[in-house]
Amino acid sequence: MSSDFESYEQDFAVLTAEVTGRIGKVPKLVGDEKKQMVANVEKQLEEARELLEQMELEVREIPPQSRGMYSSRMRSYKQEMGKLEADFKRSRIAYSDEVRNELLGDDGNSSENQRAHLLDNTERLERSSRRLEAGYQIAVETEQIGQEMLENLSHDREKIQRARERLRETDANLGKSSRILTGMLRRWDIATSSS
């Protein structure tokens, strides 16, 4: 199971390295080359998201006592994915501004403040989304731990009930044994006193 996770992990590392390189090229390209690069990056980001989903499914299959290490690695990969998507958005915004400037003949100075404001808002939204996602992840993990504890308590309760039942049976058997021994002692006393 962890070997599948590690295989997905390697694929994710290779893919994100390629995406990082391509994102850096987007603002430097023009025309159809740029459109093609944007399409390629979008496709690779989708593949990376699918790999993350596969890794998450693998982590859910790992026994709870070993899951912590993999969960922290998943959080790191999700943060990396968020950063890649933010970088890609920035490169696309730059790309959109360039296309608009080409079409309108605008020098872009007036939109620089708007662009900076938009980037700030985008970053704030992404930070909030990451915090919400982290909170959700913690809630899911807490729920799983609680469920496991309830199952353990249920098993322990069954064991205690079985032990109590065996104790009652043993107590009943001891009572019978005691009565039999008492009866035998009386007969022996009667037999020895009459002889």
Side-chain angles (χ1 to χ4, degrees), residues 30-194:
V30 291
D32 288 338
E33 258 188 310
K34 188 173 269 193
K35 287 177 188 173
Q36 185 62 43
M37 184 64 74
V38 167
N40 287 342
V41 170
E42 285 174 340
K43 183 179 175 190
Q44 285 185 309
L45 284 173
E46 183 58 36
E47 288 174 27
R49 282 189 283 273
E50 288 172 10
L51 279 171
L52 277 179
E53 287 175 15
Q54 289 298 322
M55 287 192 284
E56 230 172 340
L57 290 173
E58 289 297 321
V59 168
R60 289 182 189 153
E61 297 296 318
I62 294 172
Q65 59 271 21
S66 307
R67 197 177 295 158
M69 174 182 69
Y70 291 100
S71 294
S72 66
R73 280 157 67 178
M74 279 304 299
R75 279 192 290 275
S76 169
Y77 295 139
K78 285 179 181 177
Q79 287 174 349
E80 185 179 346
M81 188 69 193
K83 184 183 177 314
L84 278 176
E85 289 174 334
D87 290 347
F88 182 53
K89 282 180 190 171
R90 279 190 212 97
S91 74
R92 287 194 63 182
I93 289 169
Y95 167 60
S96 299
D97 283 350
E98 287 172 20
V99 169
R100 185 181 62 80
N101 292 343
E102 285 174 21
L103 292 174
L104 300 176
D106 188 7
D107 63 359
N109 290 337
S110 62
S111 67
E112 202 58 38
N113 288 338
Q114 290 177 343
R115 185 169 165 257
H117 185 66
L118 181 62
L119 285 173
D120 286 343
N121 287 340
T122 302
E123 285 177 16
R124 260 188 247 132
L125 278 172
E126 287 169 359
R127 280 195 302 270
S128 297
S129 295
R130 282 195 296 271
R131 281 196 292 267
L132 281 172
E133 190 174 329
Y136 173 75
Q137 190 64 33
I138 289 168
V140 167
E141 288 173 8
T142 304
E143 182 182 1
Q144 288 173 344
I145 290 168
Q147 186 66 34
E148 289 164 11
M149 287 174 70
L150 284 173
E151 287 172 11
N152 289 341
L153 287 171
S154 175
H155 291 303
D156 291 347
R157 181 176 180 214
E158 288 172 13
K159 287 178 189 174
I160 289 169
Q161 285 175 337
R162 284 195 300 269
R164 188 177 290 157
E165 194 59 41
R166 281 195 295 269
L167 194 60
R168 283 189 191 121
E169 288 172 11
T170 304
D171 192 39
N173 289 337
L174 282 173
K176 283 181 190 176
S177 300
S178 177
R179 286 192 298 277
I180 291 170
L181 282 173
T182 303
M184 288 172 67
L185 278 172
R186 283 187 194 142
R187 282 190 218 118
W188 187 72
D189 284 342
I190 294 171
T192 54
S193 63
S194 61

Side-chain angles (χ1 to χ4, degrees), residues 8-42:
Y8 291 136
E9 214 172 16
Q10 289 172 354
D11 293 346
F12 183 76
V14 169
L15 195 56
T16 53
E18 285 178 16
V19 168
T20 301
R22 287 184 170 176
I23 287 173
K25 291 178 185 176
V26 168
K28 298 171 189 162
L29 298 174
V30 291
D32 288 338
E33 258 188 310
K34 188 173 269 193
K35 287 177 188 173
Q36 185 62 43
M37 184 64 74
V38 167
N40 287 342
V41 170
E42 285 174 340

